[in-house]
């Protein structure tokens, strides 16, 4: 810990760090780019197989290095004082996306044996503003000394910063009045909905923001969605529109049966179920499954204009297990004809859910993923269980960070020749 070593950076790793080797050990290095030589300080050395380090000084710079978009996260600050949340801010946008694409393709190759190239697409307007001003939600913290700000990268240390360049202008303006108005140990969620006034939700310690009946509204195309004030919603202001269109495009219409037992798993407040209903208007049946009671209540209201839409509160693994146990032959037939959307948390759907999907054998899956490694792990399970990855797109919905969104289509392999299926 604390040693400073010179390193040659070879490639990028998942998690916003790059890779080097020193003394026979892998070193994961922050704030650098493949091809660079840097002086780095060891920040974690507890593992025998690898250590972590942060760049202190660039000796040989990459052609893709740029002045950091956020001075508070740049090399001008000591690594312990660098704001977290913009770990790719020193790299030009095009190279950021190339690095993200390489993480996706490498994960699929290593974990699922799938060779597939992908281009990470920009969200509308991001190139024109250099990937700034997109965050409609940020979380800030206060410490015992009364400081207000984000955590330093990979720590729970609060650092003071003069600005928030990734934040939407309404969010950035709200943060200006926060110092002096809060107490130690509070967390501040600063939120600017698209169809409700901006606000700050205050919570104490690590308990998270209080949940309640109060709702806000978000606009996506011609629809408005209600959600609880601190409920989950996509952070990038363009992400709901981008993902709506991507999910609609990812569904193979030749395999879509409106009468099937179509599902929107981890459905939240119904955003992607609405995407399906708008893509196939009329008598489409679809059920959202979501463990959060408040989100399910909002989903029921948001989809109330569609008679075939239902909102079910429950854990996805339990819902699928109960379906399997109680389904009639007719219901199982409707499930085999189904299109299932799944948008799991960062950890992925997991083995139990994937096994249930393989057993139920719906016609097609549209998998929305925010973690390439978790997606690759689930893709390995699903393709081994009889599905084929037929389409995949990736979107840079978190510019200047290592996060990326994937929308993939997996079709039951026996249907690839017929390209049609029916619940009849």
């Amino acid at each position: 810990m604390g040693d400073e070593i010179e390193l040659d950076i070879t490639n990028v790793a998942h998690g916003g760090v790059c890779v080097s080797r020193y003394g026979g050990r892998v070193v994961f290095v922050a704030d650098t780019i493949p091809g660079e030589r840097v002086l780095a300080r060891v920040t974690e050395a507890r593992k025998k197989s690898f250590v972590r380090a942060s760049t202190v000084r660039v000796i040989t710079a990459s052609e893709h290095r740029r002045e950091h978009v956020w001075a508070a996260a740049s090399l001008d600050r000591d690594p312990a004082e660098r704001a977290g949340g913009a770990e790719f801010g020193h790299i030009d946008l095009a190279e950021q996306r190339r690095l993200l694409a390489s993480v996706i393709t490498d994960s699929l190759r290593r974990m699922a044996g799938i060779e597939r190239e992908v281009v990470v697409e920009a969200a509308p307007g991001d190139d024109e503003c250099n990937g700034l001003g997109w965050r409609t939600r940020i979380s800030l913290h206060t410490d015992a000394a009364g400081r207000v700000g984000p955590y330093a990268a990979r720590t729970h240390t609060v650092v003071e910063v003069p600005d928030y360049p990734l934040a939407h202008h309404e969010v950035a303006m709200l943060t200006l009045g926060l110092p002096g108005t809060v107490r130690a140990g509070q967390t501040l969620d600063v939120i600017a909905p698209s169809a409700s006034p901006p606000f700050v939700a205050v919570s104490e310690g690590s308990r998270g923001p209080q949940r309640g009946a109060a709702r806000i509204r978000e606009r996506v195309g011609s629809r408005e969605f209600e959600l609880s004030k601190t409920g989950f919603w996509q952070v990038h202001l363009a992400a709901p529109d981008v993902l709506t269109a991507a999910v609609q495009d990812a569904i193979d219409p030749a395999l879509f049966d409106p009468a099937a037992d179509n599902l929107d798993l981890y459905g939240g407040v119904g955003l992607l179920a609405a995407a399906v209903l708008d893509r196939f208007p009329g008598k489409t049946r679809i059920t959202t499954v979501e463990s959060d009671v408040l989100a399910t209540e909002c989903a029921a209201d948001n989809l109330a204009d569609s008679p075939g839409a239902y909102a079910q509160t429950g854990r996805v693994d339990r819902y699928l297990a109960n379906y399997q146990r109680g389904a009639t032959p007719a219901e199982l037939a409707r499930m085999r004809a189904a299109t299932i959307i799944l948008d799991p948390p960062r950890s992925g759907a997991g083995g139990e859910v994937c096994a249930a999907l393989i057993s139920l054998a719906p016609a097609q899956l549209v998998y929305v993923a925010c973690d390439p490694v978790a997606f690759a792990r689930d893709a390995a399970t699903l393709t081994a269980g009889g599905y084929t990855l037929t389409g995949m797109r990736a979107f840079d919905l978190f510019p200047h960070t290592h996060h990326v969104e994937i929308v993939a289509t997996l079709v039951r392999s026996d249907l690839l020749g017929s390209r049609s299926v029916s619940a009849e």
Side-chain angles (χ1 to χ4, degrees):
M1 289 284 290
D3 285 353
E4 294 189 354
I5 53 179
E6 289 192 12
L7 299 169
D8 291 312
I9 309 303
T10 56
N11 57 300
V12 67
H14 180 50
V17 294
C18 292
V19 180
S20 183
R21 289 186 174 272
Y22 188 86
R25 300 173 77 181
V26 173
V27 186
F28 293 116
V29 193
D31 307 315
T32 186
I33 310 172
E36 291 190 326
R37 184 171 180 82
V38 302
L39 180 68
R41 182 181 304 159
V42 175
T43 57
E44 182 183 328
R46 293 175 292 179
K47 304 288 187 180
K48 291 183 178 180
S49 57
F50 70 88
V51 299
R52 295 187 182 275
S54 290
T55 301
V56 175
R57 177 169 58 87
V58 178
I59 299 169
T60 304
S62 164
E63 63 180 314
H64 302 293
R65 179 170 284 274
R66 300 290 183 266
E67 181 179 354
H68 205 293
V69 297
W70 193 7
S74 72
L75 296 184
D76 294 338
R77 283 197 174 197
D78 184 87
E81 290 290 319
R82 290 176 196 160
E87 60 275 9
F88 278 178
H90 59 288
I91 311 172
D92 70 66
L93 277 176
E95 181 66 6
Q96 289 182 37
R97 294 171 189 147
R98 192 193 70 78
L99 293 175
L100 294 172
S102 72
V103 170
I104 296 170
T105 55
D106 181 65
S107 299
L108 283 172
R109 181 182 304 113
R110 287 187 300 105
M111 304 186 73
I114 297 174
E115 294 286 344
R116 193 177 190 95
E117 295 301 318
V118 62
V119 174
V120 177
E121 304 172 41
D126 275 356
D127 284 339
E128 292 77 2
C129 63
N130 192 32
L132 303 178
W134 54 269
R135 289 195 69 103
T136 61
R137 287 152 168 78
I138 63 171
S139 289
L140 305 177
H141 311 275
T142 61
D143 64 10
R147 294 187 296 183
V148 180
Y151 285 141
R154 295 168 290 279
T155 76
H156 286 91
T157 302
V158 175
V159 294
E160 292 181 301
V161 301
D163 59 359
Y164 299 88
L166 301 191
H168 186 273
H169 67 90
E170 290 185 334
V171 171
M173 289 296 294
L174 270 182
T175 64
L176 298 177
L178 292 177
T181 66
V182 295
R183 298 191 306 273
Q186 291 182 324
T187 296
L188 315 168
D189 289 294
V190 188
I191 300 172
S194 57
S196 294
F199 64 95
V200 179
V202 181
S203 56
E204 302 292 335
S206 59
R207 292 183 299 172
Q210 284 188 326
R211 306 299 302 276
R215 294 184 179 185
I216 57 175
R217 300 183 71 83
E218 296 280 1
R219 184 176 297 108
V220 183
S222 61
R223 280 185 179 264
E224 284 197 358
F225 293 83
E226 288 191 344
L227 61 150
S228 65
K229 289 189 71 171
T230 52
F232 173 79
W233 190 254
Q234 291 289 335
V235 174
H236 193 299
L237 75 169
D241 289 288
V242 169
L243 293 177
T244 292
V247 166
Q248 291 173 335
D249 291 343
I251 299 171
D252 185 339
L255 298 179
F256 184 81
D257 184 348
D261 280 356
N262 303 301
L263 296 175
D264 174 20
L265 303 180
Y266 314 93
V269 299
L271 172 68
L272 300 183
V276 176
L277 292 165
D278 291 343
R279 173 71 176 82
F280 301 97
K283 297 181 179 180
T284 292
R285 296 162 47 100
I286 190 166
T287 299
T288 72
V289 182
E290 167 61 51
S291 62
D292 186 297
V293 174
L294 295 179
T296 308
E297 291 174 354
C298 290
D301 292 339
N302 294 331
L303 304 174
D305 61 344
S306 299
Y310 303 89
Q312 178 77 41
T313 301
R315 283 178 36 167
V316 167
D317 55 349
R318 293 175 182 172
Y319 177 89
L320 295 177
N322 290 336
Y323 188 102
Q324 283 182 288
R325 282 194 295 267
T328 65
E331 288 170 333
L332 290 174
R334 288 200 300 270
M335 179 57 72
R336 286 182 60 83
T339 294
I340 294 184
I341 315 297
L342 61 159
D343 184 8
R346 195 167 302 282
S347 56
E352 188 174 348
V353 168
C354 288
L357 292 173
I358 290 168
S359 177
L360 290 168
Q364 61 182 329
L365 307 171
V366 176
Y367 192 130
V368 181
C370 58
D371 185 285
V373 171
F375 170 69
R377 182 178 60 244
D378 288 343
T381 303
L382 292 167
T383 53
Y387 283 85
T388 299
L389 181 67
T390 59
M392 183 175 67
R393 296 172 69 186
F395 301 92
D396 184 14
L397 300 184
F398 313 87
H400 304 297
T401 82
H402 73 277
H403 299 292
V404 63
E405 203 82 12
I406 298 167
V407 178
T409 305
L410 296 109
V411 171
R412 206 173 71 226
S413 300
D414 65 295
L415 298 175
L416 292 176
S418 66
R419 312 303 292 172
S420 65
V421 65
S422 172
E424 295 301 326

